[in-house]
Amino acid sequence: MTTEISLPTLASLEYYPYIDNDGELIADFQGKIGVYAIFNEDKILQFVGYSRDIYLSLKQHLVRQSQSCYWVKVQTIERPNRTILENIENAWITENSTIDIPNPARLGGVAMDKQKWTNPIDVKEFMTPEEQNNYQNIAIDELAQIKVLKNVARRVEEEILAVLEARGVKTQIRFNPKLKESGLLDLK
C-alpha cells in the first residue's frame, strides 16, 4: 500500500445497541462498507467480521446467533478495499487476543464456530429423533426427504422467530423459501 491508514482500535469505538428502542435492527449501517465487532449482553466480544453491507450482515448474524448479538462496534470505509478491511479485522482480533473470540479461522480454533456465524443454518443439526428417523428410514424417495427437510426448516424458523420476538425484535425477517427444501435457513 502506498498510503498509510490509521487503524482505529476496537476499544476506541462506541458501542451501539444491536436492537434499538423500537425493536429495529440498527439501520445506521445499511449499505455501508466496513468492519464490525459483535458483543454479547455483557459486552464480551463474540465475533469480528467485515462486509459490503454491514446492516445485512448484522441481520444474518442476529438470526444465526441471536443469543450473542446485543452490542456492536463498527468502523466504516468509503470504498470497498479488502486489504483495509482485513487489516482492521486482524488488528481488532490481535487487540483482543487474550479473549477467546469464536473466530477460529484466524485464531486456530474449531472451524465450526465461524461457520455458525457465517453459513446458512443447517436444520439437520436440530432434527428430533423422530424427524431423523423419518428422514433416514421412512423418506425413501427424494421428494419425501425434501418434505421432511422443509417441515424441520419451518419448525426451526418458528423457533428462531419466537426467540427474536421475545427479544422485542420488530425488524422483518424473511427466510429464503427455496433453501428450505435442502435443509438450510438463510435470509432472503
Side-chain angles (χ1 to χ4, degrees):
M1 277 175 48
T2 55
T3 58
E4 278 299 311
I5 295 178
S6 74
L7 302 177
T9 64
L10 187 55
S12 70
L13 299 174
E14 77 176 274
Y15 286 100
Y16 292 95
Y18 216 94
I19 306 298
D20 69 18
N21 293 333
D22 298 323
E24 296 294 332
L25 184 64
I26 186 166
D28 296 2
F29 305 110
Q30 200 158 11
K32 302 278 184 183
I33 303 159
V35 184
Y36 55 89
I38 299 173
F39 298 82
N40 69 10
E41 201 168 5
D42 299 322
K43 294 186 178 175
I44 296 171
L45 183 61
Q46 301 295 302
F47 183 79
V48 177
Y50 61 87
S51 177
R52 293 174 75 92
D53 187 334
I54 295 169
Y55 175 82
L56 290 179
S57 293
L58 293 177
K59 192 173 180 181
Q60 290 279 15
H61 295 312
L62 181 63
V63 167
R64 295 174 184 151
Q65 296 290 314
S66 60
Q67 73 285 358
S68 299
C69 300
Y70 281 83
W71 300 96
V72 64
K73 290 186 176 189
V74 176
Q75 177 62 50
T76 59
I77 62 174
E78 290 302 311
R79 291 189 313 229
N81 183 321
R82 176 172 248 139
T83 303
I84 292 172
L85 294 170
E86 287 176 349
N87 286 343
I88 296 170
E89 179 186 44
N90 291 328
W92 287 1
I93 291 170
T94 301
E95 175 187 344
N96 292 278
S97 62
T98 58
I99 302 169
D100 185 22
I101 308 166
N103 218 356
R106 290 166 188 86
L107 298 177
V110 181
M112 196 68 171
D113 289 307
K114 184 169 185 181
Q115 290 176 355
K116 288 183 178 186
W117 285 92
T118 59
N119 290 353
I121 298 166
D122 184 352
V123 300
K124 290 178 193 149
E125 296 175 26
F126 302 99
M127 283 184 168
T128 65
E130 181 183 351
E131 290 166 338
Q132 288 175 347
N133 184 49
N134 288 343
Y135 182 71
Q136 294 171 350
N137 301 325
I138 297 171
I140 299 166
D141 67 271
E142 191 177 340
L143 287 176
Q145 283 186 327
I146 288 172
K147 184 176 179 182
V148 170
L149 286 176
K150 282 171 102 173
N151 286 334
V152 174
R154 287 183 188 118
R155 178 182 57 76
V156 173
E157 176 183 0
E158 286 175 16
E159 291 169 3
I160 291 168
L161 293 175
V163 167
L164 295 176
E165 185 179 337
R167 283 223 14 222
V169 175
K170 303 271 191 270
T171 299
Q172 183 180 15
I173 305 289
R174 290 197 56 227
F175 289 92
N176 185 336
K178 293 187 190 290
L179 291 177
K180 289 178 187 175
E181 57 190 48
S182 50
L184 299 174
L185 282 177
D186 210 10
L187 295 183
K188 188 166 170 96

